[in-house]
Amino acid sequence: MSNIDDFKSLWSQQPAPEKPDPGVLISKAVGLRNKMRSKLLLANLICLATGVFIVYIWMNIDPKMITTRIGIIVTLTGILAFVLATAGILQPLYKSREQSSNADFLDQMIRFKKGQDFMHKIFMNIYFFLISAGVLLYMYEFAMRMTWVWATVCYAVTIGWMGFNWLYLKPKTAKKQSDKLNKMISELEEINQQITD
Amino acid sequence: MTFEEIYQAYWPRVFRICMGYVNDHDWAKDITQETFIKVWQNLPGFRNESGIGTWIFRIASNQCLRQIEKQKRMPKAEMPEHLQEKTEVTDDKKIAFLYQCISELKEMERIIISLEMEEMKQTEIAEIVGISEANVRVKLHRIKEKLSEKFKHYEQYR
């Protein structure tokens, strides 16, 4: 059996499963859209709550030095940036190409994944930098009130912990993310190659 | 065409294309559903620049390509147990074998041959995939040879 018509006849005999009711499908689609909307709403609420929290801290605590306040704000900005970036509200661009040709779609997907890899690296650095700078600034006022021995111990422990994060945890997490994305990118490029072959 | 009409007419066709791509009943059903959700979402913006079939199959094949993001679900490469028995080969087994063979092809080959099986014209396949018609012809020729070869082997040793 090697005739294309034989293949076609076999192909069309594949039993298709029962179609779900179109109403069920549509309500699923509406559900997905609402989920996206509530995600956006949640992200906005988090932004707003952080803002309120910053104002609250500004008004209610009474540090003597400006570095303490700056420290709190910088740390919170870091946390906020992390929440927003992981909330998945940055919609992949290639979704808008779902109706174009496979070649076009693959191209967009590869470009997006490469951009995502780059963004992850940049973003991780910003996040770690903000958190570290924020905590060190925040500590400054309290360290000034300690004896120099305790101040040194406090800074040494904090900087040690940050060093562990920078030098061990961050590269490890970044590598894991990057490996996953790179694997996907090379698979996509392999498929793209099939188009031009 | 209303969504309902499209849905009735294209559900089995889209399912078969997805089945050719992943050769897994449940997985293919999921991709088919995802495809029709996209169709429903984008139907108001559809301007008839291409035929409705071309448009739907473009969405379906792109949904298949996106499965790369779901790495945990790998295509079933093994033969169903009952296919390994050397008994009389019924059409059911032949159908399963055909889909098995197609799902073992390279990703783009799976899409191209599935579209051919769905009686799409070569110009339409070219439009969906984004390559020239001449290129479609060359690829189809190669794929058909591969399939025939596999079937010859299958029929010889069953």
Side-chain angles (χ1 to χ4, degrees), chain B residues 3-4 54 71 97 131 156:
Chain B
F3 177 72
E4 285 252 12
T54 315
Q71 303 262 346
F97 185 67
I131 52 175
Q156 213 168 355

Side-chain angles (χ1 to χ4, degrees), chain B residues 5 18 28 32 36 53 66 98 101 116 121 125 128 135 147:
Chain B
E5 286 164 346
C18 300
T32 310
F36 279 101
R66 271 196 65 187
L98 175 69
C101 289
E116 164 78 5
K121 292 188 197 113
I125 300 179
I128 293 169
N135 205 344
L147 281 183

